[in-house]
Structure formats: structure tokens, C-alpha cells
Amino acid sequence: MQLLLNMVTANEPIFTKKEEVTFSNLSTLSLSQQKTIKQWINSGINASQTTLGLPFQEGYHFDLKPRYFASEPVPWARVIRGDIDSIELHFFRYASFAQLKKDWTLYHELSHLYHPLFEYSDFWLAEGLATYLQQLIMFQNRVITREEFYQRISAGLSRGKRNTQEKTGKLNSVSENMWQIDAFQRVYWTGVAYFIEVENALKKQNKPNLISLIKRYQVCCRQSHKNTETGINFVKDLDRLSRSAIFSSHYFRYRNRTDFPAISSAQIRQLIQPKTLEK
């Protein structure tokens, strides 16, 4: 199946190519279910590209894991890194298109394709980026409203703060052991707080926003960091693209912190003001 992808705006790098979308285990679904899953995945790809432009990688592969029983439309998913990064999707086979589209998981995993694999100690950076971008994708593509965006970010930060009180230690160490100690909320949402602070700092200094920088990163740097990369090199690339030290200065402040960042309501609402959302 071929998809003709959206063009990005004139101020961003221009890509003019077709992307191939392939699937594993598609035949395990009925024809009507296949249609729903293709519609959902196409919708997610188009939404991510509307916000973030084209990823560096040519093509998408989805390893489908349909479930007969599930308490939510998409209970679990992950990116599997390789020559072609693929997405493994566990989903309820009887979920409707509307239910699947409203679920955040696909937008999150697609966001991971825009950065390389980081070391475990920097997973707070990777998961924070994908969690932050998923919210922007859903908001900009009218999957969620402005108020839902605010409420989701606020609720997530509250969960992260509570989890930080239970899962103590330096952030980079907690990130390395996230799975063993069940510190997902702290790791993910401290990362989101980092990007909220960075986004507001970029705006204050009249720099390009994060979305613009992620688009540029696909052109300048993603190929040379196709596989594993350190968090510090990633943020240094973003510093260079933004002609600032915003990303690295915040990174060094965050990676060893033991507390949860204080993010105000005003900082969250500032994220969805027109200047921040320019593409």
C-alpha cells in the first residue's frame, strides 16, 4: 500500500517522496477489521506528518498484535529499532476507528521515529519527547480540544510528581531502572516537564519552536545518528539548530535532579498559543 504524504510548509525542508506502509499479521484480521486498522494507521501517520513533517526513515512497518480481550483500544505498543524501525501494536481487534483514533498510543510511537535510540539513562528524554509530541499532534489534528490538551498535561505532571515521591534517586539512575522499579510516570513526565521548560525558553528568546527544530533535525542529523545516540549529543544538535544553549543547559540541570519540576498552569497554556504552534 502506498501513501502520498503531506508537504511541509515553505519555511521547512521539502520532501517529495512516497512512503511504503507494510504490515505483519494483517491477514489474521477479517476484511472489515483490516479496513479499520489501515484507516487508523493511515490517520495516525498523516497526523504525525501534518505536525512534524516526514521522518528521516523511508517507509513504515507495523507488526500487528490483535487481542480478543482488552480493557482499552491499544493496551500496549513499542518501537523496535533496526535497519528499519518498526512499530509493534497490541490492540483490541474489535475496537472501532473512532476509539482507535482517540487513543494516544499510535501518536506516541510514531513520535519516537523522529529521534534515535538513546541510552537507558536518557530514556527520560526520549519518553518525554514522545509524550509531549503526542499531545501536540493530537491537539493540532483536532483529536483533542485545547482544554483536553491542558488537562492531559496537567494530570500527567501530577502523576509524575506523585511517582517521584515514591521512586527516589537521580533521574538518570531511575531512568535506567524504570522497568524494574515501575517508575514510568516519573520518567515520562519529568521528560515532558523538560520540554515544556525548553519550549517556553525558546519562545522567550524568539527562537524556532521544538516542532521546527525536530523537522530540521531529520535533515541535518538523523542519518548520522541512525542507531543509538547519547542524549547529550541529541540536545547539542538541537542547540546548534536553535543557535542557543537552551537544550543542553536544561539537560544538565535535569539529568541528575531528584525532585519533580514545578510547572505552572501558565507555562502549560503558553504551549498552545499561536507562536508556539507555528510550523
Side-chain angles (χ1 to χ4, degrees):
M1 177 175 68
Q2 299 286 330
L3 289 178
L4 182 60
L5 300 183
N6 298 321
M7 298 292 291
V8 294
T9 58
N11 293 328
E12 300 299 337
I14 299 298
F15 298 80
T16 55
K17 59 184 179 182
K18 289 185 177 181
E19 297 285 343
E20 185 178 15
V21 181
T22 59
F23 303 91
S24 297
N25 303 318
L26 185 64
S27 62
T28 62
L29 299 168
S30 69
L31 292 179
S32 63
Q33 290 168 346
Q34 290 182 32
K35 181 179 179 180
T36 298
I37 296 308
K38 287 180 179 180
Q39 183 183 13
W40 166 46
I41 289 175
N42 290 348
S43 174
I45 290 172
N46 287 332
S48 67
Q49 291 178 5
T50 296
T51 296
L52 302 175
L54 298 184
F56 160 75
Q57 173 174 295
E58 294 187 13
Y60 298 84
H61 181 74
F62 295 90
D63 187 8
L64 304 179
K65 304 290 186 181
R67 296 187 179 186
Y68 283 99
F69 303 99
S71 59
E72 53 189 313
V74 191
W76 189 66
R78 63 174 176 168
V79 170
I80 301 176
R81 301 289 185 171
D83 291 336
I84 297 293
D85 293 343
S86 62
I87 297 178
E88 181 179 308
L89 285 171
H90 296 249
F91 58 92
F92 181 44
R93 65 170 61 227
Y94 302 114
S96 67
F97 169 68
Q99 290 172 321
L100 292 166
K101 182 180 179 181
K102 190 75 172 179
D103 186 275
W104 58 267
T105 312
L106 179 59
Y107 308 107
H108 181 95
E109 301 306 332
L110 287 167
S111 295
H112 276 308
L113 300 182
Y114 290 81
H115 69 80
L117 175 65
F118 295 147
E119 297 174 337
Y120 288 151
S121 59
D122 285 322
F123 264 36
W124 63 271
L125 193 69
E127 296 301 346
L129 177 61
T131 303
Y132 176 61
L133 292 178
Q134 96 197 18
Q135 307 295 345
L136 288 179
I137 292 169
M138 295 177 78
F139 172 69
Q140 290 191 4
N141 290 274
R142 300 182 179 180
V143 179
I144 59 176
T145 66
R146 184 180 298 271
E147 190 58 29
E148 285 175 317
F149 176 93
Y150 172 76
Q151 291 173 355
R152 286 174 178 231
I153 295 286
S154 298
L157 293 172
S158 295
R159 293 194 301 272
K161 183 177 181 179
R162 288 195 300 271
N163 196 226
T164 301
Q165 295 169 350
E166 301 167 358
K167 313 300 178 182
T168 58
K170 293 182 179 180
L171 180 59
N172 55 4
S173 177
V174 172
S175 291
E176 284 186 299
N177 299 289
M178 174 175 65
W179 298 270
Q180 296 92 330
I181 64 175
D182 191 22
F184 297 98
Q185 296 297 326
R186 178 184 176 185
V187 170
Y188 280 51
W189 288 98
T190 303
V192 172
Y194 166 85
F195 284 104
I196 291 174
E197 288 206 57
V198 162
E199 193 83 271
N200 279 278
L202 290 169
K203 186 172 185 178
K204 186 176 294 186
Q205 296 186 28
N206 201 30
K207 299 294 184 180
N209 64 12
L210 180 63
I211 287 175
S212 296
L213 297 172
I214 292 297
K215 289 178 181 178
R216 296 177 190 180
Y217 179 81
Q218 305 310 301
V219 179
C220 77
C221 317
R222 186 69 174 88
Q223 182 174 10
S224 60
H225 305 315
K226 185 177 179 181
N227 297 313
T228 304
E229 177 60 295
T230 61
I232 184 56
N233 285 342
F234 177 70
V235 299
K236 283 182 176 179
D237 283 335
L238 296 179
D239 274 348
R240 180 169 56 82
L241 291 170
S242 64
R243 297 183 179 181
S244 75
I246 291 171
F247 288 90
S248 58
S249 62
H250 282 75
Y251 172 85
F252 286 120
R253 184 159 57 85
Y254 263 72
R255 67 176 183 176
N256 290 319
R257 71 185 306 159
T258 58
D259 64 327
F260 191 81
I263 302 295
S264 69
S265 296
Q267 285 176 295
I268 301 172
R269 293 193 182 278
Q270 190 75 6
L271 299 172
I272 46 179
Q273 297 302 315
K275 176 67 177 178
T276 309
L277 293 178
E278 287 176 2
K279 293 182 283 183

